[in-house]
Amino acid sequence: MYFKFTFCPIILLLWASLSFAQNVNVVIHGAASIAKTDDNFVCVTLDWWPAEKCDYNQCPWGKAGILNLDLRYGALINAIKAFNPLRIKVGGSLQDNVVYKVGEVSSCPNFMKREDGLFGFSQGCLSMERWDQLNRFFNHTGVKLTFGLNALFGRNESQTEKGLWIGDWQPQNTRDFMQYTISKGYKVDSYEFGNQLSGSGMGAKVDAKQYGKDVIVLKNLVKELYAHPETQPKVLGPGGFYEEKWFNTFLEVSGQGIVDGLTHHIYNLGPGDDPNMMNKILDPSYLNQVSQTYKGVSDVVNKFRPQLGAWVSESGGALNGGSKDVSRTFADGFWYLDQMGMASTYDQKVFCRQALIGGNYGLLNATTFVPNPDYYGALLWHRLMGSTVLAVTKESDPDLRVYAHCAKKKPGVSLIFINLSKDRSFNITLSNAKPGDAGKPNYEFVGKQNREEYHLRALTGDIKDDIVCLNDVPMVQTDSEDIPAMDLKLVDASTPISIAAQSIAYVTIRDFEAPACV
């Protein structure tokens, strides 16, 4: 079923050696952190989409939705367990069309195609039998769970403004659902209120003042039902695209201490059928544009100071299931890992990838459960990059992207290098910024311990490949459906860090002196 390779083909090494090498000095400012992420920064989603969800003349979801995903597959279980733990957010476009079959709700319909329904579907239902199955699965795999709640329950669509939903949110179905969850001892780390209802909305929208009043009701419900503060799930919102005025009004109305984490979505690559998708991913100026969103969200957080800061609670790169030609390939990592690096510098606490499985943008193949290339990049981030974010400066070559954190396992610093250039490799030396005196020159770092390096490349050298090589070893699933060994490479500290053209590398330096990492 799987191709077996011992090493990446030698042609890849020849191709890399023919690229032009450019020397670059990178300065790490290790005296103080510039931001902090959550320890479980890497997050993935599970979505509600049924098999009938289609975009661009294709239906890539299959049986990967929350209601029909087969939870018994060893490959799926092993992929989640490898993170130990993995943060998963259950939610998506149809969550505001889901009722919970508990309490007064007696019927439990399946999602059906319906032209006048939200996103073209009728109301769907989560039975408590399925909720039991999901929680057994979450408990077995050690998942840290965020659950997206239906924020349209009890409202009606306006007769005068299309897409606007009016009226107070009715919490009874959520109350019954939470009471059942508590009675079974199921662990929920946080509840997110609604999905893409903020601002102009996606399919539906709710006025910011109304949303602010309703999230207070939700917060009080959580406090009432979860009596012990240490086990009380956090309340997140609004889980939509950032619009400054709407977000400010929402937080002004809800007030201090209600919203624990401010959540927003990023789909900066546009529609999944864009023929220029690859050019966008490889264009540093295009990738930089989304920084304005991160800055805007950070400004709102600094103004209202929610306890958990800001989260990117959904980001799939390309809208409507992703790009069938790009999202499942090595190339997507240039967008994905760069976004995680950028988000962390703007103090975003969590970054949720849409999706773990499903559509074209799943970290796992929707039918075979085999990991796509982005899975391995995410797993390395989770294992190597700590929560303390450091500033980095370098000579102005936009094709080289660099982010630095304190190493997850002390001591030292961990860096990720992303080389967007097709024909240039980079030989990198490091400098340590002089703390406290901007007038003094930085001093070159000369390590005494071997560096720990993980180099990611496309199998054939073509970034459209869907097999990634780690340190020249192809990452292919084992016969037992385990994640393959992801072995580091020890490199002489006296040599420059070499980043091949169109490759990604994680580097950990144990003897780099960074006071922020002590």
Side-chain angles (χ1 to χ4, degrees):
M1 181 177 179
Y2 307 114
F3 292 106
K4 298 294 183 180
F5 298 96
T6 304
F7 296 100
C8 291
I10 192 68
I11 190 173
L12 178 59
L13 303 180
L14 294 174
W15 167 78
S17 67
L18 291 173
S19 62
F20 171 71
Q22 181 174 334
N23 297 324
V24 176
N25 182 253
V26 172
V27 181
I28 302 174
H29 301 258
S33 67
I34 59 169
K36 287 273 191 179
T37 70
D38 188 86
D39 287 337
N40 296 107
F41 175 75
V42 177
C43 164
V44 296
T45 69
L46 286 175
D47 207 305
W48 294 98
W49 288 122
E52 293 78 16
K53 164 64 172 172
C54 304
D55 294 289
Y56 317 125
N57 299 314
Q58 51 166 329
C59 307
W61 281 89
K63 293 186 177 181
I66 293 164
L67 298 179
N68 58 14
L69 177 63
D70 191 334
L71 305 173
R72 299 169 296 177
Y73 277 96
L76 175 63
I77 292 168
N78 293 337
I80 295 173
K81 280 187 170 182
F83 281 82
N84 190 32
L86 177 61
R87 184 187 292 277
I88 288 181
K89 189 197 86 167
V90 170
S93 298
L94 293 180
Q95 81 178 48
D96 296 303
N97 220 17
V98 176
V99 297
Y100 318 120
K101 190 187 179 212
V102 62
E104 297 177 357
V105 175
S106 56
S107 63
C108 199
N110 293 321
F111 290 116
M112 301 291 289
K113 282 278 192 178
R114 184 174 140 185
E115 287 188 12
D116 62 343
L118 187 62
F119 296 101
F121 285 90
S122 67
Q123 190 176 74
C125 171
L126 174 64
S127 71
M128 292 305 96
E129 291 78 13
R130 183 57 175 175
W131 184 229
D132 293 338
Q133 293 170 6
L134 287 164
N135 276 279
R136 285 193 292 269
F137 176 76
F138 295 149
N139 184 62
H140 178 58
T141 53
V143 164
K144 199 173 186 70
L145 179 65
T146 295
F147 188 87
L149 294 167
N150 180 346
L152 290 183
F153 196 89
R155 306 186 204 271
N156 295 295
E157 188 169 4
S158 170
Q159 298 298 309
T160 58
E161 183 175 349
K162 184 175 175 57
L164 176 66
W165 287 65
I166 57 177
D168 294 334
W169 175 64
Q170 299 300 313
Q172 186 60 51
N173 192 221
T174 292
R175 171 185 286 276
D176 294 337
F177 174 71
M178 286 184 180
Q179 287 177 327
Y180 180 87
T181 299
I182 294 167
S183 72
K184 302 291 276 189
Y186 298 150
K187 295 179 181 178
V188 178
D189 176 72
S190 45
Y191 288 108
E192 186 177 35
F193 189 54
N195 185 83
Q196 295 179 350
L197 302 173
S198 59
S200 301
M202 287 285 286
K205 61 183 179 180
V206 175
D207 176 76
K209 291 182 179 179
Q210 180 67 57
Y211 215 86
K213 290 190 295 183
D214 293 330
V215 82
I216 295 172
V217 175
L218 172 60
K219 181 68 171 184
N220 289 334
L221 178 62
V222 170
K223 290 169 70 174
E224 173 195 342
L225 298 181
Y226 292 87
H228 301 291
E230 62 273 13
T231 60
Q232 191 177 101
K234 303 297 189 291
V235 171
L236 312 174
F241 292 104
Y242 172 69
E243 292 186 19
E244 181 181 1
K245 182 179 179 181
W246 194 101
F247 270 58
N248 272 281
T249 301
F250 164 64
L251 290 173
E252 285 170 356
V253 172
S254 59
Q256 293 286 336
I258 300 299
V259 179
D260 298 301
L262 186 70
T263 55
H264 67 108
H265 294 180
I266 296 285
Y267 280 91
N268 58 313
L269 296 180
D273 64 344
D274 187 342
N276 294 316
M277 186 72 62
M278 190 69 74
N279 292 333
K280 288 180 176 180
I281 285 176
L282 296 175
D283 182 353
S285 62
Y286 186 89
L287 293 176
N288 287 341
Q289 290 176 15
V290 75
S291 64
Q292 295 304 309
T293 297
Y294 290 128
K295 184 180 183 304
V297 172
S298 294
D299 289 345
V300 173
V301 167
N302 290 334
K303 180 178 179 181
F304 292 97
R305 300 193 178 280
Q307 177 188 349
L308 301 181
W311 291 24
V312 180
S313 64
E314 186 178 317
S315 184
L319 285 161
N320 299 326
S323 167
K324 68 180 180 64
D325 297 320
V326 178
S327 296
R328 292 179 286 188
T329 69
F330 178 77
D332 197 63
F334 296 126
W335 159 78
Y336 177 41
L337 298 175
D338 182 68
Q339 283 301 294
M340 289 208 293
M342 187 186 300
S344 67
T345 65
Y346 281 93
D347 212 31
Q348 310 288 294
K349 305 303 182 184
V350 172
F351 191 97
C352 295
R353 166 64 177 258
Q354 169 82 345
L356 172 63
I357 187 166
N360 291 307
Y361 42 31
L363 293 187
L364 307 178
N365 183 288
T367 55
T368 67
F369 298 88
V370 172
N372 289 319
D374 280 353
Y375 172 88
Y376 295 102
L379 184 54
L380 284 172
W381 183 292
H382 180 74
R383 290 178 174 178
L384 302 174
M385 306 292 276
S387 60
T388 301
V389 187
L390 305 175
V392 174
T393 54
K394 64 178 178 65
E395 298 162 5
S396 57
D397 193 309
D399 283 337
L400 179 66
R401 322 280 282 185
V402 187
Y403 302 98
H405 290 220
C406 296
K408 194 157 194 175
K409 294 182 179 178
K410 294 183 177 182
V413 299
S414 290
L415 302 100
I416 181 170
F417 298 92
I418 302 170
N419 185 353
L420 301 175
S421 175
K422 184 178 182 180
D423 54 12
R424 283 177 301 148
S425 60
F426 292 99
N427 292 326
I428 295 164
T429 57
L430 298 179
S431 292
N432 203 334
K434 283 284 188 182
D437 190 345
K440 292 183 179 180
N442 302 314
Y443 58 91
E444 183 177 347
F445 167 73
V446 180
K448 296 180 180 179
Q449 297 182 26
N450 288 337
R451 297 190 302 268
E452 301 168 13
E453 298 189 0
Y454 300 82
H455 292 262
L456 298 169
R457 301 174 182 172
L459 174 67
T460 62
D462 183 350
I463 60 174
K464 295 179 183 177
D465 207 320
D466 61 0
I467 297 180
V468 60
C469 291
L470 172 60
N471 291 337
D472 299 327
V473 178
M475 293 289 99
V476 292
Q477 199 175 53
T478 67
D479 291 334
S480 61
E481 299 184 319
D482 288 326
I483 300 303
M486 300 174 68
D487 297 325
L488 59 82
K489 178 171 68 173
L490 292 174
V491 181
D492 185 344
S494 66
T495 61
I497 301 169
S498 180
I499 311 298
Q502 291 191 331
S503 74
I504 298 166
Y506 287 92
V507 178
T508 297
I509 304 169
R510 296 296 176 190
D511 55 346
F512 192 95
E513 295 181 6
C517 300
V518 174

